[in-house]
Amino acid sequence: MTGRNLRRMLRSPDALLMGLALPVLLLVLFVYVFGGAIDTGTDYLNYVVPGIVLLSASFGAAQTAVAVASDMQRGIVDRFRSMPIARSAVLTGHVVASLVRNLASTVVVFAVAALMGFRPDATLVEWVAAVGIIALFVLAISAVSAALGMLAGNEEAASGFTFFLLFLPYVSSAFVPPDTMPTWLRGFAEHQPVTPVIETVRGLLTGTSVGSSAVIAVGWCVAFTAVGLVAATALFRRRTAR
């Protein structure tokens, strides 16, 4: 199922190109257009790269909902049910393929950022930990997206359901420090799930303080993954119970 979804992705070069080009364009936009006017107390490129990585991961993982909804709408799942495979393989195939796709996108973002002057001072262990946090975040978003794809009646609805997943990184510490935001918005930005993930990745790569962000980030990601997988599995069984 994972191989099938990866091949399916390669057969849609427009979607693949968009998934790779969007984070690069956002990185260039924020660094060269907005970066000169934003004061973060450090080099803005070093500040914004973790946020762009997480934003691109959110965008890519959210596409899992569309892919799941497409399978359910077009009846291919009925054929899968006639084959000797576990029901869970249909959903886990989408989630694992999303993880692979988004890790590839992450490599592209880091490569472009390096060309622009991004120079992290992380050790090998810190790099491994940062990639692990990113992978855990992608897994969590992909699991929730799979559940939303099962809940949606069609591809258009699935795309709409994932809007809040794409919105969260913008109202976080991805692009500006939360203390620059209005008081009523600052509390949300500081305590929503994406901010501790970004702060953990930023701290591991650039040496800023991580504090309790790592524990909170792992907790959020594990919780989202568990809820997403349980909900997706329950909805899948309900829709295929006949």
Side-chain angles (χ1 to χ4, degrees):
M1 289 294 100
T2 300
R4 174 247 178 186
N5 286 303
L6 289 175
R7 289 190 296 272
R8 181 182 180 183
M9 174 188 67
L10 294 175
R11 290 167 184 164
S12 301
D14 51 344
L16 179 62
L17 181 61
M18 177 60 68
L20 295 176
L22 180 62
V24 172
L25 292 175
L26 287 174
L27 181 61
V28 172
L29 174 68
F30 276 93
V31 171
Y32 292 132
V33 177
F34 304 136
I38 299 176
D39 181 16
T40 61
T42 183
D43 183 77
Y44 188 66
L45 177 62
N46 291 337
Y47 182 90
V48 80
V49 165
I52 294 294
V53 168
L54 269 295
L55 177 62
S56 64
S58 298
F59 174 82
Q63 301 309 303
T64 304
V66 178
V68 170
S70 175
D71 279 353
M72 298 303 298
Q73 185 180 19
R74 299 181 183 182
I76 188 67
V77 173
D78 292 332
R79 178 178 294 183
F80 291 154
R81 291 178 62 202
S82 68
M83 302 169 67
I85 59 174
R87 286 189 175 187
S88 59
V90 177
L91 295 175
T92 55
H94 280 289
V95 172
V96 175
S98 173
L99 179 61
V100 173
R101 179 176 65 246
N102 284 282
L103 288 179
S105 175
T106 298
V107 171
V108 172
V109 173
F110 278 128
V112 174
L115 293 175
M116 295 171 62
F118 180 57
R119 297 295 182 266
D121 54 8
T123 64
L124 178 60
V125 173
E126 289 171 332
W127 266 107
V128 172
V131 172
I133 290 292
I134 294 170
L136 191 59
F137 176 78
V138 172
L139 189 64
I141 298 297
S142 299
V144 172
S145 293
L148 293 175
M150 291 300 308
L151 190 63
N154 52 58
E155 297 174 50
E156 291 76 15
S159 180
F161 284 173
T162 59
F163 173 77
F164 77 95
L165 297 178
L166 305 178
F167 178 75
L168 282 177
Y170 288 101
V171 191
S172 70
S173 62
F175 304 110
V176 295
D179 57 16
T180 64
M181 301 177 184
T183 304
W184 60 270
L185 188 59
R186 185 187 309 163
F188 176 78
E190 291 177 341
H191 298 97
Q192 58 120 315
V194 178
T195 292
V197 180
I198 293 174
E199 292 300 319
T200 302
V201 174
R202 182 177 289 134
L204 290 170
L205 295 182
T206 64
T208 59
S209 176
V210 174
S212 60
S213 294
V215 175
I216 298 173
V218 172
W220 273 116
C221 290
V222 170
F224 270 83
T225 301
V227 171
L229 290 177
V230 170
T233 302
L235 289 168
F236 183 79
R237 289 175 177 172
R238 181 178 180 180
R239 292 186 62 176
T240 59
R242 62 175 185 271

